[in-house]
Amino acid sequence: MASTNDLKNGMVLKLEGGQLWSVVEFQHVKPGKGPAFVRTKLKNVLSGKVVDKTFNAGVKVETANVDKRDMQFSYMDGDYFVFMDMDTYDQLHIDRKVVGDAANFLIEGFTALVAQNEGQVLYVELPAAVELTIAETEPGVQGDRSTGGTKPATLETGHQIQVPLFITTGEKIKVDTRDSSYLGRVNS
């Protein structure tokens, strides 16, 4: 248990029937008239839904213990991604639904942050950018065009993104994992 006066960004609270909410931002407000309160923006850990919630100052809220560990992606087992804890070498099977969009960028050997609460995997978080190889793309043709000159390319994971015309098959590029955007070439 913690007081609303002790809230910090990133803290995970257990509210409303055991749901887990992460504190995105908070603000202590002391109006000239009336009691103080804490205005928060909370994000549901499982669904990603963001809500605004106001607490009276000093109210007790239940905190959740979230264990975040770096784990290495090992292989696919049906609809499950198998991750290995690098400290204990324990393997953890994580459902495709929990991995979500991170699946578009996972290849064997990648390290990701895996968050758990009471044995339940909450989410898998990748670094902001990863380096991947272009598995297939058409040759870029210079010509008249009205756009900035991009073409589709398939990454080694099978995920398709837009890249500049000068990128060729087999090149290693840096990709933003948040929006699948091209960030640049990787110099070997």
Side-chain angles (χ1 to χ4, degrees):
M1 290 295 245
S3 166
T4 54
N5 298 332
D6 303 328
L7 292 181
K8 293 180 177 66
N9 288 344
M11 185 181 271
V12 179
L13 308 176
K14 193 181 275 192
L15 303 171
E16 300 160 10
Q19 289 189 23
L20 298 178
W21 296 85
S22 176
V23 178
V24 177
E25 55 184 66
F26 66 97
Q27 178 183 18
H28 293 277
V29 180
K30 177 75 173 110
K33 191 174 188 180
F37 59 92
V38 180
R39 188 178 293 138
T40 63
K41 187 175 280 191
L42 303 173
K43 179 179 179 182
N44 189 302
V45 173
L46 296 175
S47 70
K49 178 180 168 186
V50 178
V51 298
D52 293 320
K53 188 163 179 68
T54 303
F55 297 96
N56 289 330
V59 170
K60 297 286 184 197
V61 288
E62 188 176 354
T63 58
N65 184 20
V66 176
D67 181 25
K68 296 178 182 177
R69 293 180 185 214
D70 281 332
M71 293 187 157
Q72 187 178 55
F73 172 60
S74 297
Y75 61 92
M76 287 289 299
D77 184 12
D79 271 348
Y80 292 92
F81 289 78
V82 180
F83 284 83
M84 182 174 62
D85 187 325
M86 299 307 292
D87 296 328
T88 63
Y89 300 108
D90 289 339
Q91 290 190 347
L92 184 65
H93 288 66
I94 303 175
D95 193 321
R96 178 180 290 278
K97 294 175 195 140
V98 175
V99 174
D101 290 340
N104 297 330
F105 308 103
L106 280 174
I107 58 172
E108 290 180 14
F110 264 23
T111 301
L113 185 77
V114 178
Q116 298 180 68
N117 173 258
E118 298 173 3
Q120 178 189 7
V121 177
L122 302 174
Y123 58 87
V124 174
E125 186 177 296
L126 290 177
V130 293
E131 296 176 2
L132 293 168
T133 305
I134 300 289
E136 181 184 349
T137 188
E138 298 292 321
V141 178
Q142 293 286 47
D144 69 335
R145 60 185 178 271
S146 60
T147 64
T150 62
K151 61 182 179 178
T154 305
L155 301 171
E156 60 188 302
T157 61
H159 184 57
Q160 197 169 58
I161 66 168
Q162 292 292 316
V163 297
L165 293 173
F166 57 82
I167 298 296
T168 59
T169 300
E171 274 192 83
K172 198 167 195 137
I173 63 168
K174 196 174 247 188
V175 181
D176 189 322
T177 57
R178 297 166 293 198
D179 61 5
S180 297
S181 63
Y182 166 85
L183 294 175
R185 285 179 167 156
V186 174
N187 296 331
S188 300

